[in-house]
Amino acid sequence: MIEQRPEWTHGVRRIAVLTGAGISTDSGIPDYRGPDGVWTKDPEAVDVFTYDSFMAKTEIRQQLWQRYLGHAAWRAQPNAAHHAIAGLAMAGRAVRILTQNIDGLHQRTGIAERKVLELHGGLRSTGCTSCDTKTATEDVLARVAAGEADPACANCGGILKPAIVLFGQLLDEDVIGRARNIAAASELFLVVGSSLQVEPAASLCAVAVAAGARLVIVNRDPTPYDDQATAVIREPIGAAVPRICAALS
């Protein structure tokens, strides 16, 4: 259990929050590396989310669209942890959210979209890999549901891909640059529900610590950055994060 008012919450003005899949499990979205995680239960699923395979193989694209057709993200609602973080920002605290998640749940709390930086993209938009035409993913999935297993771009016939970063793709340089600036400017760098095994997102912890921030990690399992943290909290996220946010406010 964390104490009522931890010392590391004192005097904090600028807060950066890095969130991973673990924050969304209470909303019904499975994580990736936990006991019931996507990769744990189906290691071969990684191939479906690999850029080269997606671009080269029709059957891989068909599998990806089928996975997202019934994905829990379309039904999920923000949970107590999402709302607690948004509440800090809405109360006037200088909060920026850096999320590895593609589910859009932070934005659905009502927080200003400019305060949320999606490091790995977002599920709700789809782009053509040839002509850069953008369309709503729900519209593409409607075509999948109607029988188009691998829908092509209506403008040029090119391959459509959700606006997410697949394995083998580089993160957008502007996005990761902005994330590093936010991490370096923070006084508290709060990690919630991330295994911190995916780079370069995980290295934002090192950027923050090098700039003098307090690093606090809320995660069920050990991470590679635990030894750099001011505090490591193993409590369930849905209980720990609202309490941390209450202390910070």
Side-chain angles (χ1 to χ4, degrees):
M1 300 289 286
I2 63 173
E3 57 184 286
Q4 186 67 25
R5 186 70 157 68
E7 182 66 27
W8 47 262
T9 64
H10 295 182
V12 171
R13 296 167 298 169
R14 297 184 300 278
I15 304 163
V17 186
L18 173 65
T19 63
I23 196 174
S24 293
T25 56
D26 282 352
S27 295
I29 301 176
D31 61 15
Y32 295 99
R33 294 176 175 83
D36 295 314
V38 175
W39 313 141
T40 305
K41 296 173 73 172
D42 185 10
E44 294 184 359
V46 173
D47 195 43
V48 178
F49 296 91
T50 299
Y51 181 76
D52 287 345
S53 295
F54 179 87
M55 294 300 295
K57 302 175 183 178
T58 299
E59 62 271 22
I60 292 295
R61 295 195 293 274
Q62 292 174 345
Q63 289 180 50
L64 183 139
W65 288 120
Q66 284 299 321
R67 284 177 178 273
Y68 281 133
L69 184 61
H71 198 278
W74 302 112
R75 304 180 299 276
Q77 296 296 322
N79 61 51
H82 293 108
H83 284 295
I85 295 168
L88 274 180
M90 293 174 185
R93 302 304 300 272
V95 178
R96 292 295 183 270
I97 300 168
L98 313 173
T99 186
Q100 296 173 276
N101 298 336
I102 62 172
D103 53 39
L105 291 182
H106 283 297
Q107 296 91 321
R108 295 182 68 184
T109 62
I111 191 172
E113 293 209 7
R114 65 180 178 80
K115 296 187 177 183
V116 182
L117 193 61
E118 294 180 313
L119 302 178
H120 296 160
L123 181 58
R124 296 179 185 275
S125 177
T126 287
C128 175
T129 57
S130 296
C131 72
D132 290 331
T133 295
K134 299 292 189 294
T135 187
T137 301
E138 288 182 284
D139 292 341
V140 179
L141 291 175
R143 293 170 59 187
V144 175
E148 291 185 64
D150 179 22
C153 175
N155 184 52
C156 74
I159 294 172
L160 292 177
K161 185 182 81 65
I164 60 176
V165 177
L166 299 177
F167 290 115
Q169 271 190 290
L170 296 176
L171 268 64
D172 182 281
E173 279 299 322
D174 176 63
V175 170
I176 195 62
R178 290 165 58 199
R180 290 190 181 109
N181 289 339
I182 291 169
S186 67
E187 295 173 329
L188 173 66
F189 195 80
L190 177 63
V191 177
V192 180
S194 176
S195 64
L196 296 178
Q197 295 182 35
V198 177
E199 297 292 357
S203 65
L204 294 171
C205 295
V207 172
V209 170
R214 305 163 193 175
L215 173 63
V216 174
I217 299 173
V218 184
N219 199 56
R220 177 192 57 209
D221 302 316
T223 82
Y225 288 87
D226 286 0
D227 61 349
Q228 298 185 44
T230 299
V232 176
I233 298 165
R234 300 282 184 233
E235 288 182 73
I237 289 169
V241 172
R243 196 152 50 242
I244 290 170
C245 291
L248 288 168
S249 62

